[in-house]
Amino acid sequence: MDHGGDLLSYESHYSGELIDFSSNINPLGTPKGLNEVLINSFKSLESYPDIKYRKLKTSIAKYLNCKTENVAVGNGAVEIINNFIIPARRVVVMTPAFSEYEKRAIAHGKEIVKISYKEDFSIDLVQLENDLKEEDLLILGNPNNPTGLRIEKQILLEIYELVTKKKAFLLLDEAFYEFCPSDYDSIELFKELDYKNIGIIRAATKFFALPGIRLGYCCTSQEQVAILSKIELPWSINSLADSAGQFIFKDITYIEASKIYIKEERNFLLEQLTQIECIVAYETHTNYILIKLHNLEEEYVFHFFLDRGIVIRKCSSFKELGHNHIRVAVKNRENNLRLLECFKELEKKGEC
Amino acid sequence: MDHGGDLLSYESHYSGELIDFSSNINPLGTPKGLNEVLINSFKSLESYPDIKYRKLKTSIAKYLNCKTENVAVGNGAVEIINNFIIPARRVVVMTPAFSEYEKRAIAHGKEIVKISYKEDFSIDLVQLENDLKEEDLLILGNPNNPTGLRIEKQILLEIYELVTKKKAFLLLDEAFYEFCPSDYDSIELFKELDYKNIGIIRAATKFFALPGIRLGYCCTSQEQVAILSKIELPWSINSLADSAGQFIFKDITYIEASKIYIKEERNFLLEQLTQIECIVAYETHTNYILIKLHNLEEEYVFHFFLDRGIVIRKCSSFKELGHNHIRVAVKNRENNLRLLECFKELEKKGEC
């Protein structure tokens, strides 16, 4: 299990409908009116998408408050990550991290340098300074997956300075950006620097509840956009995803409501989980929570929840975490309560 | 202009709706009932597509009459071509050819070997034998784009034998397969050999009139499927494309009707074009026709047609063809007649 969201593999294990706590999708669902937009775009399937994605990039630039010339797009965040990796000399990742950083590096035969997060999941700047070399691509989840923590603004600026000094490149994977407290916006932060040596990736996947549509985007220097354009697969975003991307970012009501909703539910779920004695629920800035199991293994807990119709994310594929961590998404109140009940049941049975 | 279908770049040059003769899409449009399938799949956008595309591969295998284990899928034929190129030592292409063979090779820093087709656009087997080396990836369009010719069965078997002898790999790009006369089916032809050293790529793009949906597929050895699976981007086919792929291949009525329609229109258009004195319309097996202009340059002819609401494909991006070739799609009778009228007008003006 390298990724959440693979419900098809578990459907036969439960008679009812499974609740997916393994992928971290906005529980409010997609923006209202999207279906109509898609229906009105069906005819566009009979033509190639605009190979330059001009309207889509304009829509994204407006949402990100950056120039269209600084926008690159891709088939989910992962295609853009892949395309940054292709021309890199080495790939430097902090672990535990989203498995695709390493997989994409392997697919392209790149040397990988792994640096562990400190015990509190903060970044070891001394280690980073030691390990980082010229032309390295440093990929950082911001917030990181599965730990859920966002890099502090001051630390991020220090990392950027270090990367610049070393003539390396900083790639921020901000796929969960909108779920986080808005104390700073990397796209604003690096605007004056014209995104030199930095790429900031975001996506429709998580916040707009559209993992199936495959739409990621990136803000970077024009020089980097040009490099990416030679690597990108043509037409990799399908016509309906193109249309969706011209619609969803305008829905400010949905965006604001989602932010408020997630904040409330995150606080509620985290507070409740903290009261379960047999686990440690880690602090989080986003819409998922990393949990350490005291006396149980992930496999047992996974099946305990699956028997009750809930799919959680085992974390042993993040090798540094061993077999005693799980990750759960923040969902709507009804589902969060069902999750909590299961934890309480686990606790009551004295099994942890 | 490296690709057809980029109408957006020319919209401002003509007041009415442009007719696209530059991309070669089934003029009958998409299979009936597809819109309903898509509407019923909207909910699937809120989940990740099946990362293994199990149902999709089953549907494709049934259509191709091969085993599911031999099927790989991708974001259009081009993603699969790209994924075969990544582990190759050198990329060998026959020219003129679809520009992405070369572009994808460049994107991954591969050495490219180009061999020219003979004057009649047939394959120079002696040259091929001279140039092909161990671990080379030989990519052949079958039928080739823009020439429109399919490789004869006996020649294909000879090429396969040569490729095997040289320990190279043969990749057939059969994106236009269904438009061609059905004298042989490569997937049947290489079935007994378990597709050792061969990959056969097809797509929903052209024949099912779905360039916007991004769905390509490939039949190859299980060993090769495993290699591709480590290279493929996860979830690169979006949920609606996944659903479409579980539906369209079953529509035998549409498939048969399309084949008959294209055959008739191809014969009609080719015969009529042969009567235009200032051009040479080449023999074709598929739904596009390569045309040599006697005394005119592509740029002039392109604008002559654009002024009349028709976008044709200039062919100078296929470098070997110089500036005096164009390519036109076979469309429906009404549009084909409009195209012919424009050619007659060009002829009458004595401009060619």
Side-chain angles (χ1 to χ4, degrees):
Chain A
M1 192 202 223
D2 280 351
H3 293 290
D6 182 18
L7 262 59
L8 201 58
S9 289
Y10 305 108
E11 266 177 0
S12 61
H13 293 78
Y14 185 70
S15 57
E17 199 175 333
L18 290 168
I19 305 174
D20 182 17
F21 273 86
S22 72
S23 63
N24 311 311
I25 308 304
N26 186 340
L28 294 189
T30 57
K32 226 173 156 179
L34 177 63
N35 289 2
E36 286 66 36
V37 169
L38 296 177
I39 289 169
N40 292 332
S41 304
F42 280 167
K43 196 69 191 162
S44 73
L45 290 171
E46 297 187 21
S47 315
Y48 279 91
D50 173 18
I51 197 161
K52 295 178 181 165
Y53 292 109
R54 283 161 275 207
K55 290 178 188 170
L56 176 62
K57 286 186 176 182
T58 303
S59 162
I60 291 166
K62 206 170 168 190
Y63 176 56
L64 297 180
N65 191 24
C66 70
K67 288 186 204 155
T68 307
E69 303 89 81
N70 290 113
V71 175
V73 291
N75 188 282
V78 71
E79 188 189 10
I80 309 178
I81 293 166
N82 182 70
N83 293 349
F84 271 100
I85 285 173
I86 290 172
R89 199 176 62 90
R90 305 191 310 174
V91 176
V92 182
V93 294
M94 303 286 308
T95 58
F98 181 47
S99 62
E100 289 296 331
Y101 305 159
E102 189 177 344
K103 276 196 204 166
R104 297 288 98 217
I106 292 170
H108 297 292
K110 302 292 171 183
E111 186 184 337
I112 304 159
V113 179
K114 292 187 196 179
I115 305 172
S116 294
Y117 280 101
K118 292 200 265 191
E119 209 165 326
D120 64 353
F121 299 131
S122 69
I123 292 169
D124 188 336
L125 290 173
V126 177
Q127 190 67 44
L128 187 61
E129 173 141 29
N130 279 340
D131 289 354
L132 203 64
K133 289 187 181 159
E134 201 170 320
E135 286 180 59
D136 278 355
L137 177 72
L138 170 63
I139 311 179
L140 293 176
N142 190 35
N144 189 48
N145 177 6
T147 54
L149 295 182
R150 204 160 177 242
I151 306 165
E152 282 173 36
K153 181 177 167 181
Q154 197 46 46
I155 302 290
L156 180 58
L157 291 170
E158 281 179 45
I159 293 169
Y160 179 75
E161 206 182 302
L162 175 60
V163 165
T164 306
K165 194 179 81 180
K166 294 269 190 169
K167 294 181 183 162
F169 193 96
L170 176 59
L171 188 59
L172 295 179
D173 176 359
E174 298 199 342
F176 294 94
Y177 170 75
E178 291 95 333
F179 293 117
C180 295
S182 53
D183 52 331
Y184 73 89
D185 174 355
S186 330
I187 289 174
E188 287 303 320
L189 205 59
F190 297 99
K191 188 177 278 180
E192 274 188 24
L193 299 159
D194 290 328
Y195 310 104
K196 190 172 155 58
N197 292 328
I198 190 168
I200 301 154
I201 296 178
R202 295 182 188 169
T205 309
K206 314 288 186 179
F207 188 75
F208 294 91
L210 285 167
I213 216 153
R214 315 309 302 137
L215 177 58
Y217 41 95
C218 171
C219 188
T220 187
S221 66
Q222 290 188 44
E223 185 194 349
Q224 197 60 40
V225 169
I227 293 171
L228 289 172
S229 76
K230 292 193 197 314
I231 294 170
E232 285 158 3
L233 286 171
W235 315 291
S236 69
I237 296 154
N238 99 352
S239 296
L240 299 177
D242 186 354
S243 299
Q246 293 173 47
F247 172 75
I248 54 174
F249 303 122
K250 293 176 194 156
D251 192 344
I252 296 164
T253 314
Y254 165 89
I255 292 168
E256 288 311 313
S258 297
K259 286 180 180 180
I260 293 165
Y261 190 90
I262 284 293
K263 187 181 172 186
E264 262 188 43
E265 285 306 309
R266 172 177 59 226
N267 291 346
F268 168 75
L269 187 59
L270 194 58
E271 196 210 313
Q272 294 288 310
L273 284 171
T274 310
Q275 294 168 32
I276 309 287
E277 290 199 348
C278 57
I279 60 169
V280 178
Y282 289 101
E283 173 63 20
T284 178
H285 297 134
T286 184
N287 68 327
Y288 50 84
I289 300 171
L290 181 66
I291 292 171
K292 189 175 182 173
L293 309 163
H294 275 322
N295 294 313
L296 288 170
E297 295 241 320
E298 60 170 16
E299 201 61 34
Y300 175 84
V301 176
F302 179 82
H303 285 282
F304 184 90
F305 278 86
L306 185 58
D307 289 345
R308 285 147 186 84
I310 286 173
V311 178
I312 58 166
R313 174 70 158 88
K314 293 181 276 186
C315 285
S316 59
S317 66
F318 304 100
K319 291 183 195 80
E320 303 71 18
L321 295 180
H323 289 266
N324 62 339
H325 286 78
I326 59 168
R327 194 193 66 198
V328 296
V330 175
K331 295 184 71 80
N332 66 24
R333 182 61 58 100
E334 186 193 342
N335 286 331
N336 291 337
L337 286 170
R338 279 191 61 177
L339 181 83
L340 288 166
E341 271 169 40
C342 289
F343 271 113
K344 283 174 193 161
E345 201 184 328
L346 191 73
E347 193 179 31
K348 258 192 206 152
K349 284 185 78 178
E351 289 187 336
C352 64
Chain B
M1 193 207 225
D2 279 350
H3 293 290
D6 182 18
L7 261 60
L8 201 59
S9 290
Y10 305 107
E11 267 177 0
S12 61
H13 293 78
Y14 186 70
S15 57
E17 199 175 334
L18 290 168
I19 306 174
D20 182 17
F21 273 87
S22 72
S23 62
N24 311 311
I25 308 303
N26 186 341
L28 294 189
T30 57
K32 225 173 156 181
L34 177 63
N35 289 2
E36 286 66 34
V37 169
L38 296 177
I39 290 169
N40 292 332
S41 305
F42 280 166
K43 196 68 191 164
S44 72
L45 290 171
E46 297 186 20
S47 314
Y48 279 91
D50 173 19
I51 198 163
K52 296 178 182 168
Y53 293 108
R54 283 162 273 208
K55 290 178 187 169
L56 176 62
K57 286 185 178 182
T58 303
S59 161
I60 291 166
K62 206 170 169 191
Y63 176 56
L64 297 180
N65 191 24
C66 70
K67 288 187 204 155
T68 307
E69 303 89 82
N70 291 113
V71 174
V73 291
N75 189 281
V78 71
E79 188 190 9
I80 308 179
I81 293 166
N82 182 71
N83 293 350
F84 271 100
I85 284 173
I86 290 172
R89 199 175 62 90
R90 305 191 310 174
V91 176
V92 181
V93 295
M94 304 285 308
T95 59
F98 181 48
S99 62
E100 289 296 331
Y101 306 158
E102 189 177 344
K103 277 195 202 165
R104 296 288 98 216
I106 292 170
H108 298 291
K110 301 291 170 184
E111 187 184 335
I112 304 158
V113 179
K114 292 188 196 177
I115 304 172
S116 294
Y117 281 99
K118 290 200 266 190
E119 207 163 327
D120 64 353
F121 299 131
S122 68
I123 293 169
D124 188 336
L125 290 173
V126 177
Q127 190 68 45
L128 187 60
E129 171 139 32
N130 278 340
D131 288 355
L132 203 64
K133 289 187 183 160
E134 201 170 320
E135 287 180 58
D136 278 355
L137 177 72
L138 170 63
I139 311 180
L140 293 176
N142 189 35
N144 189 49
N145 176 6
T147 54
L149 295 182
R150 204 161 175 239
I151 306 167
E152 282 172 37
K153 181 177 166 182
Q154 196 47 46
I155 303 290
L156 180 58
L157 291 171
E158 280 180 45
I159 293 169
Y160 179 74
E161 206 183 301
L162 176 60
V163 165
T164 306
K165 193 179 82 181
K166 295 270 190 169
K167 295 181 182 166
F169 193 96
L170 176 58
L171 187 60
L172 295 180
D173 176 359
E174 297 199 342
F176 294 94
Y177 170 75
E178 292 96 332
F179 293 117
C180 295
S182 53
D183 52 331
Y184 73 90
D185 174 356
S186 330
I187 288 175
E188 287 302 321
L189 206 57
F190 296 99
K191 187 177 278 178
E192 275 188 24
L193 299 158
D194 288 328
Y195 310 105
K196 189 172 156 58
N197 292 328
I198 190 167
I200 301 154
I201 296 177
R202 295 183 187 168
T205 310
K206 314 289 185 177
F207 189 74
F208 293 91
L210 286 167
I213 217 154
R214 315 309 303 138
L215 177 59
Y217 41 95
C218 171
C219 188
T220 188
S221 66
Q222 290 188 45
E223 185 195 348
Q224 196 60 40
V225 169
I227 294 170
L228 289 171
S229 75
K230 292 194 196 311
I231 295 170
E232 285 159 3
L233 288 169
W235 317 290
S236 70
I237 297 155
N238 99 352
S239 297
L240 299 178
D242 186 353
S243 299
Q246 292 173 47
F247 172 74
I248 55 175
F249 304 123
K250 293 176 194 155
D251 192 344
I252 296 163
T253 313
Y254 165 89
I255 293 167
E256 288 311 312
S258 297
K259 286 180 180 180
I260 292 166
Y261 190 91
I262 284 294
K263 186 182 172 186
E264 262 188 42
E265 285 306 310
R266 171 176 61 226
N267 291 346
F268 168 75
L269 187 59
L270 194 59
E271 195 209 313
Q272 294 288 309
L273 285 170
T274 311
Q275 293 167 33
I276 310 288
E277 289 199 349
C278 58
I279 60 169
V280 178
Y282 290 100
E283 173 62 19
T284 179
H285 297 134
T286 184
N287 68 327
Y288 50 84
I289 299 170
L290 181 67
I291 292 170
K292 189 174 183 175
L293 308 163
H294 274 323
N295 295 312
L296 288 169
E297 295 240 322
E298 60 169 17
E299 201 62 35
Y300 175 84
V301 176
F302 179 82
H303 285 282
F304 184 91
F305 278 87
L306 185 57
D307 289 345
R308 287 149 185 84
I310 287 173
V311 178
I312 57 167
R313 175 71 158 88
K314 294 182 274 185
C315 285
S316 60
S317 65
F318 304 100
K319 292 184 194 78
E320 303 72 15
L321 296 179
H323 290 265
N324 62 339
H325 287 77
I326 58 167
R327 193 193 66 198
V328 295
V330 175
K331 296 184 71 79
N332 66 23
R333 182 61 58 99
E334 186 193 343
N335 285 330
N336 292 337
L337 286 169
R338 278 189 62 177
L339 182 83
L340 288 166
E341 270 170 41
C342 289
F343 271 113
K344 283 174 193 161
E345 201 185 329
L346 192 72
E347 191 179 34
K348 258 190 207 156
K349 283 183 80 178
E351 287 187 336
C352 62

